C-alpha cells in the first residue's frame, strides 16, 4: 500500500504516529523549518522526511497534530498551500479543540475546496510494538481516510457530522484531565496544611483506584501542563459561556498554567506533587 501522509507537527504524538505509519509502509512528510535540533532528531528517528510546502500540499492525507491553540493558524496555513492544487489532500484535524473551533477549521479548509475530517486522539503516543491510541473520526469524509487503519492506527468512526469526534474528545478529556486537576490541587493543599499522609492513608482505604491513578498522574502531568492550558479553555468553550461548569475549566486552565511555570521555575508545588506520589509508592513496599 503506497500512501504519502504529512504530519504537522513532529511533536511527541506526531512523531510517534509517523513512526507507526512508516513501519506499515507509508511515506511520512513534515515541515522542519525553524525547528530545534531535538525536533530534527525526533523526526529523523521516526522516519519523517523534511519537505517544502509544495511537497506537503501534494500528499494524500494531512494530519494536523499540534497544541490546540495552534490549530486554527495551521489550518489557515494549509488552506493557503492547497487552494490552487487540482488534487486536494484530505485534511484531518486531530487536535483537542471544541466543536465551534473545529467547525471554524472546517470552513477554513473548505475555502480551499479540500475534504475535511474531524478527529480526536484518545490515548498515549504509540510505542514500538505497543498499541495505537484511538483515532476517532467524524464527518462525511471520515471513511476517506480509513486507510490509516491499514497503516497501523486504531481508527474508529463516530457516526455524525464534523464536531462529533471533537465533542467526544472534549468530554473524555474534561473527565480525565479534570480529575487530574482536582487531584493535584487537593494534594498540594493537603500537603501545605500538613495532612498529606492522612490524605494518602484515607484514599488507600476508601478510594484505592484514585490513589493508584494519582501515583502515576501527579509526576506525569507536570511536563504536559503547559499543553493542557489551551485544552481546558477549549473544554470551557465546549460547555459554553452560560454553562455553570464552564468556569471550572477556566480555573483548571489557570491551575495548569501555574503548574507549568512552577515546574520550570522554583518547583514548589511540583516538588510537593512528586513527593506525594513517592509516598504512595513507599507505602506499598
Amino acid at each position: 500500500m503506497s500512501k504519502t501522509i504529512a504530519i504537522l507537527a513532529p511533536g511527541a504524538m506526531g512523531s510517534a504516529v509517523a513512526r507507526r505509519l512508516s513501519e506499515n509502509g507509508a511515506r511520512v512528510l513534515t515541515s522542519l523549518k525553524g525547528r530545534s535540533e531535538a525536533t530534527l532528531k525526533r523526526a529523523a528517528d521516526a522516519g519523517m522526511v523534511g519537505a517544502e510546502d509544495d511537497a506537503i500540499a501534494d500528499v494524500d492525507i494531512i494530519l494536523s497534530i499540534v497544541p490546540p491553540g495552534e490549530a486554527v493558524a495551521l489550518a489557515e496555513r494549509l488552506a493557503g498551500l492547497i487552494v490552487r492544487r487540482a488534487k486536494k489532500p484530505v485534511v484531518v484535524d486531530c487536535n483537542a479543540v471544541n466543536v465551534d473551533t473545529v467547525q471554524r477549521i472546517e470552513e477554513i479548509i473548505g475555502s480551499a475546496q479540500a475534504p475535511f475530517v474531524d478527529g480526536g486522539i484518545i490515548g498515549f503516543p504509540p510505542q514500538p510494538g505497543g498499541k495505537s491510541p484511538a483515532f476517532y473520526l467524524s464527518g462525511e469524509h471520515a471513511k476517506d481516510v480509513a486507510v490509516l487503519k491499514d497503516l497501523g492506527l486504531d481508527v474508529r468512526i463516530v457516526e455524525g457530522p464534523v464536531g462529533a469526534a471533537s465533542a467526544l474528545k472534549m468530554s473524555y478529556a474534561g473527565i480525565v484531565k479534570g480529575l487530574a486537576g482536582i487531584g493535584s490541587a487537593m494534594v498540594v493543599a493537603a500537603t501545605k496544611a500538613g495532612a498529606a499522609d492522612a490524605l494518602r492513608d484515607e484514599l488507600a482505604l476508601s478510594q484505592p483506584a484514585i490513589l493508584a491513578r494519582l501515583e502515576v498522574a501527579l509526576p506525569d502531568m507536570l511536563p504536559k501542563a503547559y499543553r493542557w492550558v489551551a485544552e481546558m479553555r477549549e473544554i470551557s468553550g465546549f460547555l459554553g459561556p452560560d454553562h455553570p461548569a464552564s468556569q471550572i475549566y477556566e480555573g483548571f486552565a489557570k491551575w495548569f498554567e501555574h503548574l507549568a511555570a512552577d515546574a520550570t521555575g522554583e518547583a514548589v508545588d511540583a516538588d510537593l506533587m512528586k513527593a506525594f506520589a513517592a509516598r504512595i509508592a513507599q507505602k506499598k513496599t
Side-chain angles (χ1 to χ4, degrees):
M1 180 175 298
S2 176
K3 278 287 178 185
T4 303
I5 298 170
I7 295 182
L8 304 173
M13 178 64 78
S15 59
V17 170
R19 182 184 296 108
R20 178 60 54 88
L21 295 172
S22 297
E23 289 170 349
N24 287 276
R27 183 168 181 259
V28 183
L29 307 185
T30 193
S31 177
L32 296 174
K33 292 179 181 177
R35 306 300 299 221
S36 67
E37 287 297 323
T39 300
L40 296 177
K41 183 178 185 306
R42 182 167 57 236
D45 290 346
M48 304 177 89
V49 178
E52 297 298 320
D53 287 351
D54 284 348
I56 287 172
D58 282 336
V59 302
D60 300 299
I61 299 169
I62 298 176
L63 301 181
S64 170
I65 306 178
V66 294
E70 300 174 17
V72 171
L74 178 56
E76 291 170 343
R77 177 188 165 202
L78 292 175
L81 295 181
I82 61 183
V83 65
R84 293 182 179 85
R85 301 280 164 166
K87 173 182 172 289
K88 309 286 187 180
V90 183
V91 178
V92 187
D93 183 276
C94 302
N95 304 305
V97 295
N98 72 45
V99 174
D100 288 345
T101 302
V102 81
Q103 289 174 345
R104 180 182 172 195
I105 292 170
E106 179 189 26
E107 291 177 0
I108 293 168
I109 298 301
S111 70
Q113 292 81 50
F116 178 77
V117 176
D118 175 22
I121 304 173
I122 293 179
F124 296 105
Q127 300 300 313
K131 68 178 183 178
S132 163
F135 279 72
Y136 287 96
L137 306 176
S138 70
E140 64 175 303
H141 297 287
K143 292 182 173 60
D144 295 348
V145 293
V147 66
L148 295 173
K149 187 169 187 177
D150 299 321
L151 294 170
L153 299 185
D154 181 4
V155 172
R156 307 179 188 184
I157 304 296
V158 180
E159 295 301 329
V162 164
S166 287
L168 170 62
K169 171 65 176 178
M170 291 287 94
S171 303
Y172 181 88
I175 293 170
V176 174
K177 292 172 183 171
L179 289 173
I182 291 170
S184 57
M186 290 301 100
V187 161
V188 168
T191 303
K192 289 180 177 178
D197 288 342
L199 176 62
R200 178 201 60 198
D201 292 346
E202 178 54 40
L203 288 171
L205 288 171
S206 62
Q207 303 290 341
I210 291 177
L211 189 66
R213 186 172 188 87
L214 289 175
E215 180 182 2
V216 176
L218 291 176
D220 182 66
M221 69 188 292
L222 290 169
K224 303 174 182 177
Y226 78 97
R227 289 193 280 120
W228 292 4
V229 175
E231 187 171 351
M232 292 302 104
R233 295 202 164 107
E234 289 291 331
I235 295 170
S236 177
F238 171 60
L239 289 169
D242 296 328
H243 195 290
S246 66
Q247 289 304 307
I248 293 173
Y249 289 92
E250 287 291 340
F252 283 145
K254 293 178 181 177
W255 174 236
F256 292 139
E257 192 169 42
H258 163 77
L259 287 180
D262 179 69
T264 57
E266 295 182 359
V268 176
D269 290 346
D271 285 348
L272 295 181
M273 289 165 56
K274 291 176 183 177
F276 190 88
R279 286 194 192 98
I280 300 171
Q282 290 169 0
K283 189 71 173 181
K284 294 192 300 186
T285 59

